[in-house]
Amino acid sequence: MSIIERLKAQREAQALKLLSNSLYTKQYHLNYITSNSAFNIPYNGMQCDWHQVDMLSGGQYVTHPTNFIGAEDIFADYGLWDCTEWFNANGIKKESLCATPIRAILDKLYYELAIYDCYPKIFDDFWNYMFDELDMDELREKLQILKSSLLPHQQVWLTQWETKNEIYRRR
């Protein structure tokens, strides 16, 4: 089997796994920008990623539930704000809700842990983002809520992620 055939088979298996996950296929009520796209939109003056120009020029956003499933079932509308004014100030006519940095972090972790059912290795670079102004006590509190909503093996992965990224070390 060629590498292309193996890759195709792997993608098909992953798609079937997603389609069998009721969290992936269910109907959601909220629509908002999250994950890395939300890190690029300043919230109360805090911008956690610097790729804003690329995101704006491309017009492609990570949006729950269109192309990403966030933790709506756990956190409802916690950490969502109206970012329409910010888009208008940047010359873009777009009405949208956006996740705060903490909500976007929770959504990223939820997506990997609960939706893909895997360790969140794509977010192992936590401190490479500009999270210096983040309220770490609030994040830690919300991580505990997230953890209590996960399956036991997913809780283990989240604990490993927290340890690797020194989430509980005082900064």
Side-chain angles (χ1 to χ4, degrees):
M1 180 182 283
S2 74
I3 191 163
I4 292 175
E5 291 169 327
R6 286 193 311 249
L7 184 59
K8 182 179 177 186
Q10 183 182 21
R11 286 183 178 153
E12 288 171 357
Q14 186 178 44
L16 286 174
K17 183 178 176 184
L18 280 175
L19 290 173
S20 69
N21 183 339
S22 63
L23 296 173
Y24 181 77
T25 58
K26 74 176 277 188
Q27 198 80 40
Y28 290 95
H29 303 289
L30 296 170
N31 188 353
Y32 60 93
I33 295 171
T34 191
S35 189
N36 289 39
S37 292
F39 294 156
N40 288 290
I41 299 172
Y43 172 71
N44 288 341
M46 180 174 44
Q47 182 177 341
C48 301
D49 196 1
W50 54 272
H51 293 92
Q52 186 179 97
V53 173
D54 293 336
M55 181 191 69
L56 287 173
S57 65
Q60 300 294 316
Y61 312 101
V62 178
T63 306
H64 165 84
T66 308
N67 53 17
F68 190 92
I69 305 298
E72 178 180 335
D73 287 344
I74 301 168
F75 295 106
D77 63 356
Y78 158 79
L80 301 182
W81 63 284
D82 186 346
C83 58
T84 302
E85 188 176 308
W86 181 83
F87 277 107
N88 289 339
N90 283 281
I92 299 170
K93 287 198 167 280
K94 179 175 182 61
E95 291 183 21
S96 185
L97 291 175
C98 186
T100 62
I102 289 176
R103 176 58 184 264
I105 291 166
L106 297 167
D107 284 349
K108 281 179 69 79
L109 291 168
Y110 179 82
Y111 190 62
E112 291 298 309
L113 292 162
I115 303 301
Y116 274 96
D117 194 32
C118 67
Y119 174 83
K121 67 183 173 201
I122 65 161
F123 199 33
D124 262 349
D125 58 351
F126 182 81
W127 290 109
N128 286 346
Y129 291 90
M130 299 181 290
F131 291 144
D132 297 336
E133 298 176 44
L134 204 62
D135 183 338
M136 290 303 293
D137 289 332
E138 182 180 349
L139 175 62
R140 292 176 188 116
E141 173 190 319
K142 298 304 181 190
L143 285 171
Q144 291 308 307
I145 294 169
L146 175 63
K147 191 178 290 184
S148 71
S149 301
L150 297 172
L151 298 173
H153 69 280
Q154 296 165 343
Q155 292 174 359
V156 169
W157 289 332
L158 181 53
T159 299
Q160 290 170 341
W161 179 87
E162 291 168 328
T163 301
K164 180 174 181 166
N165 286 286
E166 300 179 334
I167 299 301
Y168 291 94
R169 190 176 126 215
R170 292 286 169 199
R171 293 187 176 267

